[in-house]
Amino acid sequence: MRFGRAVLWLAIVAFLLGGLGYFVSPVLFAGAAGISLGGSGATDFRATYAGIQLGLAVFMVWCVRRPGRLPAGLVMLGLVCAAVALTRALGILIDGSVIGFNLLALTLEVLGAALAFVAFVRVQGTVVESITLQA
């Protein structure tokens, strides 16, 4: 259970920092990915990237506060990280966009998915055991 909570707290911090970074300085973050933003593009980038990351962080905080919700938070984290990693990897192959930003992001996304799924399997056993012991 502690491992699962630690994974979610680590993800919460990462998503909060990323979301705040995208909100405060969208041009800097977009530039690191090779994207050029202007006027309404910065607003859309803020809304999409900051909004999604901050929303996911809030959901994970909600999940980590109760043991019964921990599995849902870990599944969400694992699926989101895996989906982003898969689409990024396909994008790299299709677009030939092998840059440091994409490689670092892909590595973090794969690591996030793996940690979330391992933690989920460990937490599931703990939750099932605790429910069985209470019955």
Side-chain angles (χ1 to χ4, degrees):
M1 186 84 62
R2 286 196 322 209
F3 179 68
R5 289 176 52 81
V7 167
L8 269 192
W9 277 115
L10 180 64
I12 289 165
V13 169
F15 278 61
L16 283 175
L17 290 175
L20 290 173
Y22 282 117
F23 183 78
V24 171
S25 189
V27 174
L28 176 70
F29 277 69
I35 301 168
S36 178
L37 294 181
S40 67
T43 300
D44 185 63
F45 203 78
R46 277 188 174 103
T48 303
Y49 289 88
I52 289 172
Q53 289 203 15
L54 294 172
L56 292 173
V58 170
F59 177 75
M60 288 185 284
V61 167
W62 181 76
C63 289
V64 81
R65 293 179 50 91
R66 293 258 170 94
R69 295 190 291 234
L70 192 58
L74 292 167
V75 167
M76 182 278 305
L77 176 62
L79 292 174
V80 166
C81 286
V84 174
L86 177 62
T87 55
R88 186 179 307 277
L90 291 172
I92 290 170
L93 291 173
I94 292 167
D95 304 326
S97 56
V98 182
I99 62 170
F101 178 88
N102 280 335
L103 296 177
L104 175 62
L106 181 61
T107 301
L108 293 174
E109 291 150 4
V110 169
L111 181 61
L115 284 173
F117 290 131
V118 167
F120 172 76
V121 169
R122 291 178 64 175
V123 164
Q124 275 300 98
T126 305
V127 170
V128 170
E129 288 170 15
S130 67
I131 290 171
T132 305
L133 291 175
Q134 290 176 2

